[in-house]
Every structure is written in C-alpha cells, then in structure tokens.
C-alpha cells in the first residue's frame, strides 16, 4: 500500500488529521508532519528542504496547495515524488478520487459555429476582429449572419478575408442570392437550405445545412436528407430548436426522431433560441443543451452571443462540449469532471463548520485578521477575538480600523468578497479572487516563483513592526 506524508502547519494540523481519518477505505497509509510554522500558507520549497530531513520514508509527499517553489527540485532532493495537494484540505477526498480517474478534456466531437449576427452592418475589419475573439473562445466556424432586407455588398470580400486568415466560414441566410455569393466566394457551409432550395447546393461546393420548410414539417427535412444521401453529398441536418414556451419540448423530440430515422447523419443544433431568449445564466443552459447534444451525437452547434447575458456563450459552449463528451465517452455522470460551468455557485461552498473555525481562532496570538466563511456567515478573527456576522457593513464597526487606511481598504475588499461568496454559496479563500468558472478569465499562478506583494499588503520590516499584514485564514491544506 502506498504511504503518503502530508506536510502542514500548526493551525491546520488537527483539521488535516481529522479529514484524512475520515476518508473511508483510503488506498494509502498516511502521516502528517507539522514542519514548525504556524501558517502553512507561508511554506516554501526552500523551507521544506531546511526543516524536513532527508530521507523521508514515503512513496509520495504532499505539500500545501499554494506552497511556492520548485516541486521537481524537492522530488530530486528527497528521491520521492513531491506534489501540491488541493488548496483546501476538505477537498482531499475529492482530490484523491480525481487522481484515480483523470479525464482528458482535450477531446470533443461537436463543432461550434459562432454567428456574427450583424455582419452586414460591420466593416470587413470589424468582422475580422470579431472572428478573432470568437475563435479564441473556442469557435471552430465563423458564421456570417445576413439580416433581412439589409444589403451585404461586402459579403464576398468578408468571406475571402476570413478564409485568407485561415478561418472556416459559413454564410447564414434565407436569400438564395446571398447563399450563392457566399458559396462562390469560398464559404465552407451554407445555412440554411430547405427542400425547395437544394438546387443551391448543386451550384457551389459549400456544405449545406438542411432545415425543414417549417419547424414541424419533419417530412420535408427527411426528404431533403434522403436526397443528399442519394447524391453522396456532405450535409448537416437541423430540426430547429424552438424557444420556451413555443415548442421547446416538441423540437427536442424532433431531434430524437431525426437521429432515429438517420442513425449516421450529421446533425446541427442551433442553441441561440434558448441561450438568447431565456433570462437565465447561460452556463447552465449550455450544460444541459450540450448534454442533449452528446446523447444525440450532434456534429455541430450554432450559437450566438448577442444579448449581454449571453456574451460568454461561445466560451461556455467550448467547456460544455468537452465536459459532456467526456461524460458520454466514459459513461459517467457529468460530476467531478470539471467545474468550469459552475459560474455562480460552488458544489462545496462552506468546507469549515463554525465550530472548526472557532477551534482555530482561539489559537491565534497575533493581530492579523483571518477571514473565513461558513454556512452561518462571515467569521473574522485575530488575537482580539472572533467576530461573526452576515455582511461587511455589520462587521466593519467591530474591527477598529478607523485609523489604518490601508488595512481598512484591504479588509473592506475581503469582507465584500466574503459576503458575496456567502450569499451566493461560493467558495471563499482569503487573499484569492472569487472563482467564477469559465465566466471570468483568471491568470494562471506560477507557484514556482514568488508573487509580488499587493499595494495594501505590508512586507518585510514593515510587517514585523506593524503586524497588520494578513496571512491566509487557517482551515486550508496550505496553512
């Protein structure tokens, strides 16, 4: 059986032992070593090498998740693999479960068509700029949306510019002339052809997307598919996804019938009628729709990001297709694979109980403020005691920072973050930005190097004299 040594600090030692003891049927034996510091969030690779003598009798050494320094150098020093664990010690059971079954999210099967819905009103340069953003977010095909009764004189020029830049392009119109111009300019796909306009597919090389004459006219779509199959021509078939409450359920059933009728036909599903026309967070809508797409083996999804609330639809679609493809391929629920689509809430928002926080708070002997969040509310403590409240304004008068502007600013920011996290049910970690999943891009932290001190964080001699710099709150693996 594998033997693992966990390194930690004094404040987190008891909690770490309690969590490890609670892992049922752990496939490893373990021991916890407190390396002689109070807050393990201050642990570094150099400190470990000084304080933990070699050799370490273990198959693996796990250090705090935010421990800075070169883990490969430590591994060479001890002759034993050294790795960072999760940032929160309560996540250790989940961490070991993930390590046991890693799932690759680089694979997916559903292509994303990202529509520029107002292309006729944009210049070629503006279209190119918009296309660059969409592709960076995960789009595979740039769809030029044509507008009713709006001239698109630069359609051919736009298609050619996009193709010259290496993009895959589709033209989206119900006007035959626009589809022909787009196809002759080199578009890869044409949206959308009905049974009555299949002739356009004979005039150009572009792959047509077939739709019914009307959403409920399945017979016309089936006939169009059969004709394309007889000709041996590539195509995509779209049953048209209807918005709520104008036939969503019936349209999903039509997609199912389309798949049953043509088991191997490539299907497209347009999701904008749901993401754009439903005032709800689009990350959840995309998760559900791409789950349906994975079950139906949908080849392509057409999405838009017009409404302000849908402005991250392409990025969410990219994550959703990867997660749902992984779930379908591995025949597992889409849980524990990746939390990028958990943009508003967290699965385990409050890892520490009020009692556990209180146990740590009574051990603190310095003036630095620690901030933690439980289901009860916000907990702020230092050597002067523990304050509990449910909002920043409630706690502020009890901190005594009226004459310390920099620390007052710092604590104001942290309490605001903590309150948002508590009200939404998100994970809060002191001195770290809130995690908004794929909704907000975050810079990757380089834990091999030291971070620069923030403008409100006192460092060096000033820290020792003033005693106002705030270390991470206890209760984490790295503390």
């Amino acid at each position: 059986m594998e033997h693992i040594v966990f390194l930690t600090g004094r404040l987190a030692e008891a909690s770490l032992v309690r969590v490890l003891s609670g892992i049922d049927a752990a496939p490893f034996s373990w021991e916890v070593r407190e390396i002689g510091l109070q807050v393990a969030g201050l642990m570094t690779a150099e400190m470990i090498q000084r304080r933990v003598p070699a050799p370490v009798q273990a198959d693996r050494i796990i250090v705090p998740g935010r421990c800075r320094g070169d883990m490969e150098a430590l591994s060479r020093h001890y002759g034993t693999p050294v790795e960072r664990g999760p940032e929160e010690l309560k996540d250790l059971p989940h961490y070991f479960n993930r390590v046991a079954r890693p799932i690759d999210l680089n694979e997916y099967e559903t292509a994303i068509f990202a529509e520029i819905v107002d292309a006729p009103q944009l210049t070629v340069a503006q279209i190119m700029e918009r296309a660059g953003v969409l592709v960076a977010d995960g789009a595979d095909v740039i769809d030029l949306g044509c507008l009713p009764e709006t001239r698109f004189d630069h359609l051919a020029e736009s298609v050619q510019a996009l193709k010259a830049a290496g993009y895959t392009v589709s033209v989206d119109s119900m006007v035959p002339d626009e589809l022909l111009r787009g196809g002759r300019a080199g578009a890869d796909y044409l949206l959308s052809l009905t049974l009555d306009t299949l002739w356009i597919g004979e005039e150009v090389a572009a792959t047509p997307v077939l739709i019914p004459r009307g959403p409920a006219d399945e017979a016309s779509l089936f006939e169009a598919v059969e004709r394309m199959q007889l000709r041996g021509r590539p195509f995509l078939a779209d049953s048209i996804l209807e918005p709520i409450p104008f036939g969503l359920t019936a349209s999903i059933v039509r997609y199912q019938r389309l798949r049953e009728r043509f088991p191997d036909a490539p299907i497209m599903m347009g999701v904008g009628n749901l993401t754009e026309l439903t005032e709800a967070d689009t990350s959840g809508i995309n998760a559900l729709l791409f789950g349906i797409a994975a079950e139906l083996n949908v080849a392509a999804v057409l999405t838009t990001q017009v409404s302000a609330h849908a402005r991250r639809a392409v990025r969410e679609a990219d994550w959703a297709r990867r997660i749902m493809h992984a779930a379908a391929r591995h025949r597992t629920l889409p849980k524990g694979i990746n939390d990028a689509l958990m943009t508003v809430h967290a699965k385990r928002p409050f890892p520490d109980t009020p009692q556990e926080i209180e146990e740590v708070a009574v051990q603190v002997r310095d003036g630095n403020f620690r901030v933690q969040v439980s289901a009860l509310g916000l907990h702020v403590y230092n050597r002067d005691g523990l304050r509990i409240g449910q909002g920043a304004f409630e706690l502020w008068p009890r901190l005594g920072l009226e004459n310390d502007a920099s620390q007052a600013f710092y604590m104001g920011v942290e309490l605001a973050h903590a309150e948002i996290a508590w009200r939404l049910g998100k994970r809060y970690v002191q001195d770290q930005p809130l995690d908004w999943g794929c909704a907000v891009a975050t810079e990757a932290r380089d834990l091999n190097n030291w971070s620069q001190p923030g403008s409100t964080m006192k460092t060096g001699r000033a820290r020792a004299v003033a005693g106002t710099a705030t270390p991470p709150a206890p209760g984490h693996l790295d503390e």
Side-chain angles (χ1 to χ4, degrees):
M1 178 181 291
E2 181 185 28
H3 183 68
I4 303 176
V5 169
F6 295 83
L7 304 183
T8 189
R10 284 190 294 274
L11 290 177
E13 183 179 11
S15 294
L16 179 55
V17 169
R18 186 162 51 243
V19 169
L20 289 170
S21 300
I23 298 178
D24 294 331
F28 56 85
S29 59
W30 55 269
E31 64 179 286
V32 172
R33 293 194 188 181
E34 189 273 296
I35 71 169
L37 76 164
Q38 184 178 30
V39 179
L42 305 177
M43 192 182 296
T44 67
E46 293 78 7
M47 184 185 298
I48 293 171
Q49 192 166 331
R50 290 196 308 269
R51 299 189 181 198
V52 180
V56 174
Q57 300 301 317
D59 298 296
R60 192 171 14 152
I61 300 171
I62 294 184
V63 304
R66 297 189 190 89
C67 177
R68 291 192 177 272
D70 189 341
M71 296 299 105
E72 292 185 4
L74 273 184
S75 298
R76 291 192 297 270
H77 173 74
Y78 290 108
T80 300
V82 181
E83 65 185 56
R84 294 182 180 90
E87 295 185 351
E88 172 64 59
L89 70 85
K90 295 293 182 62
D91 290 333
L92 273 171
H94 185 60
Y95 169 81
F96 284 109
N97 187 39
R98 274 191 176 180
V99 170
R101 54 180 187 88
I103 293 181
D104 184 8
L105 292 181
N106 290 321
E107 297 182 0
Y108 58 87
E109 293 183 351
T110 304
I112 296 174
F113 283 56
E115 182 180 2
I116 302 177
V117 298
D118 54 349
Q121 299 173 337
L122 303 176
T123 66
V124 174
Q126 290 172 327
I127 289 173
M128 295 298 295
E129 181 180 4
R130 190 85 63 85
V133 172
L134 294 171
V135 169
D137 280 346
D140 301 291
V141 181
I142 300 301
D143 182 61
L144 296 178
C146 300
L147 296 172
E149 301 181 5
T150 302
R151 293 176 63 89
F152 197 172
D153 294 331
H154 54 297
L155 170 59
E157 183 184 357
S158 299
V159 172
Q160 291 164 356
L162 289 166
K163 292 296 297 179
Y167 297 129
T168 303
V169 184
S170 62
V171 173
D172 193 342
S173 176
M174 297 302 292
V175 178
D177 176 66
E178 290 178 329
L179 293 173
L180 287 170
R181 282 195 288 132
R184 288 165 181 163
D188 301 279
Y189 298 90
L190 297 180
L191 286 71
S192 301
L193 275 59
T194 67
L195 185 61
D196 303 319
T197 55
L198 284 184
W199 60 270
I200 296 175
E202 300 297 323
E203 301 288 328
V204 294
T207 298
V209 177
L210 310 177
I211 62 172
R213 289 186 176 118
D217 188 0
E218 293 176 274
S220 67
L221 177 60
F222 292 170
E223 184 176 346
V225 169
E226 289 166 349
R227 289 190 185 183
M228 295 300 290
Q229 288 178 330
L230 286 173
R231 296 172 187 173
R233 289 287 307 276
F235 65 91
L236 291 166
D238 188 348
S239 290
I240 308 298
L241 194 67
E242 297 278 62
I244 301 168
F246 299 99
L248 169 63
T249 304
S251 63
I252 292 175
V253 172
R254 288 196 291 270
Y255 277 103
Q256 174 65 25
R257 284 199 290 262
L258 176 64
R259 171 55 68 220
E260 291 173 349
R261 178 72 174 266
F262 304 102
D264 300 319
I267 292 176
M268 169 177 274
M269 178 182 289
V271 299
N273 277 345
L274 269 294
T275 55
E276 296 283 352
L277 303 180
T278 307
E279 289 190 354
D281 290 327
T282 52
S283 57
I285 296 175
N286 273 314
L288 177 61
L289 292 178
F290 276 85
I292 294 173
E295 288 193 359
L296 294 176
N297 192 26
V298 168
V301 163
L302 173 66
T303 190
T304 59
Q305 43 188 41
V306 180
S307 303
H309 81 282
R311 62 187 178 276
R312 288 180 290 267
V314 173
R315 190 187 310 166
E316 294 166 358
D318 184 36
W319 277 106
R321 66 174 169 177
R322 296 170 188 271
I323 293 169
M324 297 306 166
H325 171 75
R329 179 181 178 184
H330 293 275
R331 303 302 300 166
T332 184
L333 293 172
K335 295 180 63 176
I337 297 175
N338 190 282
D339 57 4
L341 296 174
M342 298 281 289
T343 57
V344 180
H345 310 296
K347 186 176 180 180
R348 294 173 293 276
F350 310 126
D352 301 305
T353 67
Q355 293 75 23
E356 290 171 331
I357 296 172
E358 185 176 358
E359 289 175 6
V360 173
V362 298
Q363 304 177 50
V364 173
R365 297 292 182 265
D366 58 68
N368 298 327
F369 286 103
R370 280 81 166 175
V371 183
Q372 289 182 261
V373 176
S374 75
L376 187 63
L378 284 59
H379 302 250
V380 182
Y381 56 93
N382 62 0
R383 65 188 171 201
D384 299 322
L386 173 64
R387 303 88 164 164
I388 303 175
Q390 296 185 343
F393 286 102
E394 178 185 348
L395 286 163
W396 165 251
R398 300 155 62 185
L399 302 182
L401 295 174
E402 292 80 359
N403 298 317
D404 189 342
S406 63
Q407 188 71 347
F409 176 82
Y410 166 78
M411 286 300 294
V413 171
E414 287 301 314
L415 290 177
H417 284 170
E419 182 178 349
I420 291 170
W422 177 70
R423 294 190 182 280
L424 289 180
K426 298 184 69 66
R427 179 72 64 87
Y428 167 81
V429 178
Q430 189 171 351
D431 290 331
Q432 300 297 321
L434 295 180
D435 184 359
W436 301 99
C438 69
V440 177
T442 57
E443 294 184 5
R445 289 177 293 160
D446 182 5
L447 293 177
N448 290 326
N449 297 303
W450 292 101
S451 60
Q452 295 298 316
S455 60
T456 64
M457 298 291 286
K458 292 181 171 62
T459 58
R461 175 176 170 80
R463 172 187 292 164
V465 173
T468 55
T470 305
H476 306 283
L477 184 60
D478 59 347
E479 304 178 36

